[in-house]
């Protein structure tokens, strides 16, 4: 096909001709763009405590059906007021001393634990086995590989899958300080992701924001549900409807 014809076809299918030509659509050549399902780490179905890396897309009908069964268990209610919310209500960021969550009290703060968990080709600061200074992240939110260096810290941010403000509005305002610190530092609720994507998400639920990379959306909905169920926090009716729909329900 002539080059102009190829460009037209790619434009009509939503592909960037320059990205496809350069291979930026993903190392695996996946028709969905980005990585193959195996490139992103563990399936949330196989990672109920969040200690395994990443968030892999759910690609089979059986896995999506299993995800729907989990999401169906989530309770719903209206989103309460944000009155009184402050990030500090969930403790100082990235504490290593929070009881009751995996990876705690290992001598390394939560942020570095997560960079180490999800990063590839991880490099540590000289003399440290904790402080990550460089890595490659297979970002589940955008489906792209991010080459990260500590001097560009904001390029990768740690996302609370179920945002802390959302938690506050759905019941965490009545929790003890200790329980709020748990959800803020629980690896089940935390993913290193593309900084701009995280900034766009803010405190949205699934009905208001979803990862731009469509193949991961069912996995994202399942992870949202896993956090909801672990901490007995409801979601809005609109959010639950979207979560089920993302997994074919």
């Amino acid at each position: 096909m002539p080059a102009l014809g190829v460009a037209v076809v790619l434009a009509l299918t939503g592909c960037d001709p320059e990205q496809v030509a350069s291979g930026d659509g993903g190392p695996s050549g996946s028709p969905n763009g980005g990585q193959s399902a195996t490139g992103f780490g563990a399936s949330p179905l196989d990672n109920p405590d969040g200690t395994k890396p990443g968030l892999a897309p759910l690609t089979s009908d059986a896995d999506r059906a299993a995800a729907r069964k989990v999401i169906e268990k989530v309770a719903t209610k209206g989103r309460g007021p944000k009155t009184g919310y402050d990030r500090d209500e969930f403790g100082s960021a990235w504490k290593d001393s929070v009881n009751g969550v995996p990876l705690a009290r290992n001598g390394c703060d939560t942020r570095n634990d997560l960079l180490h968990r999800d990063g590839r080709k991880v490099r540590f600061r000289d003399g440290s086995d904790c402080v990550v200074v460089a890595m490659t992240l297979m970002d589940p939110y955008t489906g792209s590989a991010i080459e990260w260096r500590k001097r560009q810290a904001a390029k990768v941010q740690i996302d609370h899958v179920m945002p802390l403000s959302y938690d506050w509005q759905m019941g965490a305002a009545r929790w003890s300080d200790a329980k709020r610190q748990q959800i803020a530092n629980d690896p089940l609720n935390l993913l290193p992701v593309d900084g701009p994507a995280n900034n766009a998400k803010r405190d949205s639920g699934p009905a208001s924001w979803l990862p731009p990379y469509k193949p991961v959306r069912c996995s994202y909905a399942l992870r949202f549900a896993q956090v909801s169920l672990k901490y007995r926090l409801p979601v809005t009716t609109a959010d639950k409807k979207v979560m089920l729909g993302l997994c074919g329900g």
Side-chain angles (χ1 to χ4, degrees), residues 11 23 52 56 60 64 76 83 85 143 167 173 175 180 188 203 207 212 216-217 219:
K52 295 179 183 179
S60 73
R64 287 189 288 269
T76 61
T83 307
Y85 170 74
D167 300 337
W175 288 358
R180 285 198 291 265
L188 183 67
D203 64 353
V216 83
R217 287 180 176 179
S219 291

Side-chain angles (χ1 to χ4, degrees), residues 1-25:
M1 183 182 291
L4 180 59
V6 171
V8 170
V9 170
L10 291 172
L12 290 173
T13 57
C15 297
D16 183 335
E18 293 185 3
Q19 285 186 339
V20 172
S22 66
D24 289 341

Side-chain angles (χ1 to χ4, degrees), residues 231-244:
Y231 287 92
R232 298 182 181 179
L233 279 175
V235 304
T236 67
T237 300
D239 285 333
K240 184 173 180 178
K241 180 178 180 181
V242 167
M243 290 159 69
L244 287 168

Side-chain angles (χ1 to χ4, degrees), residues 111-127:
R111 177 179 169 83
N112 279 295
D113 276 336
L114 294 163
L115 296 177
H116 186 199
R117 182 195 69 182
D118 288 12
R120 297 183 175 188
K121 302 177 183 177
V122 173
R123 287 171 42 205
F124 296 100
R125 178 184 292 167
D126 289 346

Side-chain angles (χ1 to χ4, degrees), residues 37-234:
T38 57
F40 290 101
S43 160
L45 291 168
D46 300 326
N47 190 20
D49 64 359
T51 56
K52 295 179 183 179
L55 187 69
L58 299 178
T59 58
S60 73
D61 290 342
D63 282 352
R64 287 189 288 269
R68 289 196 301 273
K69 287 183 179 180
V70 175
I71 296 168
E72 285 167 357
K73 298 175 184 177
V74 174
T76 61
K77 78 165 193 175
R79 196 163 175 169
K82 197 173 178 179
T83 307
Y85 170 74
D86 188 278
R87 173 62 179 83
D88 290 343
E89 294 289 340
F90 291 79
S92 57
W94 317 134
K95 294 175 65 175
D96 182 42
S97 57
V98 176
N99 293 323
V101 294
L103 310 181
R105 299 187 180 278
N106 64 356
C108 188
D109 66 83
T110 305
R111 177 179 169 83
N112 279 295
D113 276 336
L114 294 163
L115 296 177
H116 186 199
R117 182 195 69 182
D118 288 12
R120 297 183 175 188
K121 302 177 183 177
V122 173
R123 287 171 42 205
F124 296 100
R125 178 184 292 167
D126 289 346
S128 172
D129 59 2
C130 172
V131 180
V132 178
V133 297
M135 66 166 189
T136 300
L137 177 71
M138 312 313 294
D139 173 39
Y141 283 5
T142 62
S144 61
I146 300 174
E147 298 297 330
W148 179 86
R149 302 293 181 269
K150 190 171 178 62
R151 63 180 177 272
Q152 302 170 303
K155 191 174 181 180
V156 167
Q157 298 177 14
I158 308 298
D159 179 42
H160 288 94
V161 175
M162 199 169 186
L164 299 184
S165 173
Y166 189 103
D167 300 337
W168 182 267
Q169 292 174 272
M170 302 308 286
R174 299 186 296 275
W175 288 358
S176 67
D177 290 342
K179 189 173 181 180
R180 285 198 291 265
Q181 289 182 34
Q182 286 177 347
I183 199 170
N185 290 276
D186 190 335
L188 183 67
N189 193 31
L190 296 168
L191 285 173
V193 297
D194 174 74
N198 188 45
N199 288 335
K201 174 183 173 179
R202 299 177 63 85
D203 64 353
S204 300
S208 302
W209 183 91
L210 291 168
Y213 181 54
K214 292 182 180 179
V216 83
R217 287 180 176 179
C218 176
S219 291
Y220 176 79
L222 173 57
R223 178 55 59 82
F224 206 98
Q226 288 172 322
V227 178
S228 168
L229 291 169
K230 178 174 180 177
Y231 287 92
R232 298 182 181 179
L233 279 175

